[in-house]
């Protein structure tokens, strides 16, 4: 995937050019300085870096005038004012969490993630198939022969997850038996819940830089052993648990994108 790495100051300057104070899903105060002095400092630095990296070039025969790379400008403009946003994250704790954001406007999609505390990677995603494939890659999913779907209440799932992650096998098995989820499927679910490999996908509808609606899926385990936990409806008091693979996740994301694109 072709893209470019931008220093934080460069991205801050570019956001200012499209009159945006920040990006959905990105909590970085350096992108939206609070004071005029801080703004002047980071925007000046960002402008200088963009010129050094040839994103801003002098216009021939027009002294004092410069041209900002149109392709880069478009990427930032899409990210700053998306119609939909997909946040895909992996990692069991905040310390090892990796977050990849996708901003969508019509048929256009832009990927953004922090390469460090000083820079960001930004790229264009060519089509919807590439978008869902990229999400699958981030989550590390493959093909799976596991099947089935099971329902648990909020309370039952919270207890089951706690037992599994604490290694309390007997207590977990009692809950599974009560839910009719035993045998090989039950063992596979417990193994996934106990795994340190975890992920999340959030699909949202955005308007004027704010989230209007969204759906979330949690993932436990990886590759052939991954399971997904999701509420069947956003206000449901139950969870649906099922094995998940690359094909299934791609279908889920497509479905949610379609639904999130409809105004309530």
């Amino acid at each position: 995937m072709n893209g470019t790495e931008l220093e934080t100051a460069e991205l801050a300057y570019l956001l200012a050019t499209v009159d945006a104070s920040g990006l959905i899903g990105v909590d970085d105060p350096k992108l939206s300085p609070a004071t005029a002095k801080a703004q002047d400092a980071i925007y000046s630095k960002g402008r200088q870096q963009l010129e050094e990296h040839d994103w801003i070039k002098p216009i021939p025969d027009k002294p004092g005038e410069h041209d900002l790379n149109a392709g880069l400008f478009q990427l930032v403009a899409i990210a700053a004012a998306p119609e939909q946003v997909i946040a895909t994250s992996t990692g069991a704790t905040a310390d090892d969490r990796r977050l990849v954001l996708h901003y969508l406007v019509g048929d256009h999609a832009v990927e953004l993630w922090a390469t460090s505390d000083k820079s960001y990677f930004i790229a264009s995603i060519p089509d919807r198939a590439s978008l869902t494939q990229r999400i699958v890659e981030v989550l590390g999913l493959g093909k799976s022969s596991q099947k089935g779907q099971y329902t648990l209440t909020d309370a039952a799932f919270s207890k089951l997850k706690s037992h599994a992650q604490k290694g309390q096998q007997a207590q977990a098995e009692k809950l599974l038996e009560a839910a009719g989820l035993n045998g090989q499927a039950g063992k596979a679910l417990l193994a996934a819940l106990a795994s340190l490999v975890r992920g999340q996908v959030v699909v949202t509808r955005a308007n004027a830089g704010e989230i209007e609606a969204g759906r979330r899926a949690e993932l436990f385990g990886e590759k052939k052993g991954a399971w997904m936990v999701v509420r069947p409806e956003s206000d449901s008091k139950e969870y649906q648990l099922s094995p998940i693979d690359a094909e299934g996740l791609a279908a889920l994301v497509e479905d949610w994108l379609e639904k999130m694109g409809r105004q309530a």
Side-chain angles (χ1 to χ4, degrees):
M1 177 176 56
N2 294 324
T4 188
E5 190 170 348
L6 294 171
E7 298 291 331
T8 299
E10 291 179 296
L11 182 55
Y13 179 87
L14 290 166
L15 288 173
T17 67
V18 296
D19 198 26
S21 59
L23 293 167
I24 292 174
V26 179
D27 183 16
D28 186 345
K30 294 188 290 294
L31 294 179
S32 51
T35 66
K37 182 178 180 180
Q39 288 175 1
D40 289 344
I42 198 165
Y43 295 158
S44 176
K45 181 179 180 181
R47 170 66 183 255
Q48 179 183 351
Q49 290 175 332
L50 287 166
E51 290 183 9
E52 291 173 352
H53 296 150
D54 288 333
W55 293 114
I56 294 179
K57 297 181 180 181
I59 299 176
D61 302 323
K62 293 186 178 181
E65 294 188 31
H66 294 75
D67 182 45
L68 173 60
N69 182 277
L72 182 59
F73 180 85
Q74 182 184 39
L75 292 182
V76 174
I78 291 170
E83 297 170 345
Q84 296 173 295
V85 181
I86 305 173
T88 307
S89 60
T90 58
T93 67
D95 290 337
D96 67 356
R97 180 170 175 260
R98 181 193 180 197
L99 174 65
V100 177
L101 294 157
H102 289 101
Y103 302 96
L104 285 67
V105 174
D107 295 330
H108 300 285
V110 171
E111 176 171 313
L112 180 85
W113 45 276
T115 60
S116 68
D117 60 352
K118 296 181 179 180
S119 62
Y120 292 86
F121 178 83
I122 190 169
S124 176
I125 302 295
D127 50 46
R128 191 58 61 85
S130 299
L131 172 64
T132 53
Q133 178 59 35
R134 180 68 179 124
I135 294 170
V136 165
E137 289 175 359
V138 172
L139 293 169
L141 295 178
K143 292 185 177 181
S144 174
S145 59
Q146 296 185 82
K147 302 294 180 183
Q149 187 176 85
Y150 308 90
T151 301
L152 290 176
T153 64
D154 282 2
F157 173 67
S158 295
K159 290 180 180 178
L160 180 64
K161 181 171 66 172
S162 177
H163 291 323
Q165 293 175 355
K166 292 178 180 178
Q168 298 170 340
Q169 190 77 11
Q171 296 95 319
E173 289 177 353
K174 286 183 180 180
L175 280 173
L176 289 175
E177 185 176 354
L181 210 173
N182 43 32
Q184 189 59 40
K187 292 179 180 179
L189 173 58
L190 286 183
L193 291 176
S195 172
L196 293 178
V197 180
R198 298 168 201 168
Q200 181 173 264
V201 178
V202 181
V203 178
T204 66
R205 182 174 69 240
N207 183 34
E210 300 291 336
I211 298 298
E212 290 188 332
R215 299 296 304 276
R216 180 180 68 170
E218 291 184 88
L219 283 82
F220 298 85
E222 61 182 329
K223 299 180 181 178
K224 294 182 179 180
W227 279 64
M228 178 179 71
V229 180
V230 62
R231 295 183 189 275
E233 298 296 337
S234 57
D235 58 352
S236 175
K237 303 301 182 182
E238 296 179 326
Y239 283 107
Q240 287 181 344
L241 297 80
S242 59
I244 188 66
D245 61 9
E247 183 178 351
L249 186 73
L252 178 74
V253 170
E254 285 285 1
D255 180 58
W256 281 357
L257 284 174
E258 181 183 354
K259 291 177 179 176
M260 287 297 104
R262 301 172 186 166
Q263 297 296 321

